[in-house]
Every structure is written in structure tokens, then in C-alpha cells.
Amino acid sequence: GDSVTQMQGQVTLSEDDFLFINCTYSTTWYPTLFWYVQYPGEGPQLLLKVTTANNKGISRGFEATYDKRTTSFHLQKASVQESDSAVYYCVLGDMGYKLTFGTGTSLLVDP
Amino acid sequence: EAAVTQSPRNKVAVTGGKVTLSCNQTNNHNNMYWYRQDTGHGLRLIHYSYGAGSTEKGDIPDGYKASRPSQENFSLILELATPSQTSVYFCASGETGQIYEQYFGPGTRLTVL
């Protein structure tokens, strides 16, 4: 079945640092990939999505690109702020409108 | 404002008791989902529905039932709650054709003693 792997469980940065979170996926179908973000006390919300048609997504200063050759999908931001502290999930969508979530990467940004 | 709401927000139950978690959405979406969130597992799909009257098993359905009596409401039922079902449960809604974006509720924290 579909699977998503996030190896970085926790990342701690200072404001204005560069953020890079990597994710790998496995699927037998053409993937649609997402990054969801979850702020404390809230449900996850869509940050951005990437399809095989465009290979890249940009939203709120975050950029995600996917590499079909290595089946990787990473999230980056040039300069993080304290308000970016949250849990980031790499997510794979299937044809049945279901989502498969990774285990999440908790980002803490020190002011 | 379109939203997904869940009730209760917190629940303490006893082992062997029956628990019902409720979800209401005003997005007029066809699809609704129940997930549980546990450290080290992310979110895992329990049950989902494509519309009123339909329920489908997700990846971890054992020990759970679901009910979709209307477009707006989707319930998750634990007939015989166990401590292993202690978790945070999220409901979500999504529209067929809007490529896979799901809108999540605020979650219900369930503790089974």
C-alpha cells in the first residue's frame, strides 16, 4: 500500500534560519503530494500541494518540490519565524480521495 | 463561516463502555473522514464516507464503527472502549473533485481508563 516516511521527528531552529524537511513516499499510482501544518490545539490544515504536472508548490513563503526519480518530496523555507513553529506532515493522496500521513516533523523556532 | 466542529472536545470513558464522537460540517462536502493521532504514527484513517448512508473502512477500523445519517453529520462509535483507544480523534471533510484537500475539525481528546 501507499506509505510516507519522514525521518526528522523534531527540528529546532533560530529565527531567519533556513528550513529543510525531507520526505520519501511509495505508491503504485501517480502521486499527489501535500504538506499539511498543525498548530498547537488545532487540526491539520493544508499548506500546499504538488502534482505530477507541476512538480512544485509555493505557499506562505514555503516551497515544496518533488523528485519522481528518488520518490522524495521536501519542504523548505528561506527564513523561518517563531510563528512557523508547528508540526509539518508530508501527505500522499490517492484516487479514492484518501490521504496517507507521514509521522510528522515538529518544528520549534527560537526567537 | 464553513467549518468542521467536533463534540465533545474532551472525553473520559471507562473500559468496556460505549463512546460516541460526533462531527458536524457546514462545508456541504460529500466526503467525511475520521482519523486518530498518536505520537510516532501521525494521523491514521479509521473510517470514511462518500455521502449520507455510506461508510467505508479505513486503515485501522478494528474496534470502531461509523455512522453517516446526513450530509452534515458523521459519528465514530466505540462499542466497547479499551485503553488502547486513548488518543486524539480528528474529523475532516472534503469535496469530491477538489483534489484531496481536507478540512479538519479541532479534535477530540479521548481517555479510556
Side-chain angles (χ1 to χ4, degrees):
Chain A
D2 294 345
S3 66
V4 176
T5 301
Q6 289 180 252
M7 297 302 293
Q8 300 157 282
Q10 190 164 323
V11 174
T12 301
L13 298 173
S14 300
E15 279 197 334
D16 298 323
D17 280 351
F18 173 73
L19 170 69
F20 182 90
I21 302 175
N22 193 38
C23 164
T24 57
Y25 66 90
S26 173
T27 181
T28 57
W29 200 253
Y30 297 106
T32 298
L33 297 155
F34 304 81
W35 284 97
Y36 273 73
V37 59
Q38 183 178 22
Y39 298 102
E42 300 181 9
Q45 59 181 269
L46 180 66
L47 178 59
L48 49 79
K49 70 183 179 192
V50 176
T51 68
T52 54
N54 57 23
N55 292 357
K56 180 179 288 189
I58 297 175
S59 175
R60 308 187 220 171
F62 290 86
E63 180 178 316
T65 55
Y66 106 96
D67 185 330
K68 180 181 176 182
R69 183 181 60 84
T70 60
T71 62
S72 65
F73 181 52
H74 53 259
L75 179 72
Q76 61 186 50
K77 187 177 185 184
S79 176
V80 295
Q81 302 303 306
E82 186 179 7
S83 58
D84 294 325
S85 296
V87 179
Y88 292 82
Y89 289 99
C90 179
V91 182
L92 177 65
D94 75 8
M95 296 300 290
Y97 304 101
K98 294 187 293 167
L99 301 179
T100 298
F101 281 76
T103 52
T105 297
S106 178
L107 171 65
L108 176 62
V109 180
D110 291 328
Chain B
E1 182 178 323
V4 179
T5 56
Q6 297 182 230
S7 63
R9 294 294 312 278
N10 290 279
K11 173 76 175 178
V12 178
V14 296
T15 298
K18 182 177 181 178
V19 176
T20 300
L21 307 182
S22 300
C23 177
N24 177 274
Q25 57 109 352
T26 58
N27 298 323
N28 198 31
H29 288 160
N30 288 331
N31 303 337
M32 295 187 74
Y33 309 83
W34 275 106
Y35 295 87
R36 63 177 285 175
Q37 182 178 45
D38 303 286
T39 303
H41 291 280
L43 279 81
R44 293 179 289 174
L45 182 65
I46 305 170
H47 284 288
Y48 59 103
S49 168
Y50 291 130
S54 91
T55 60
E56 306 288 339
K57 293 181 178 179
D59 298 322
I60 53 165
D62 293 346
Y64 303 93
K65 290 173 54 179
S67 174
R68 182 87 181 272
S70 64
Q71 177 85 338
E72 299 79 20
N73 296 293
F74 191 38
S75 298
L76 185 69
I77 303 153
L78 291 66
E79 294 277 6
L80 294 170
T82 69
S84 65
Q85 294 174 313
T86 293
S87 186
V88 180
Y89 292 84
F90 287 97
C91 175
S93 73
E95 185 54 87
T96 305
Q98 296 240 348
I99 307 178
Y100 313 126
E101 179 171 0
Q102 294 182 12
Y103 297 82
F104 284 80
T108 293
R109 183 173 296 276
L110 173 66
T111 303
V112 183
L113 302 176

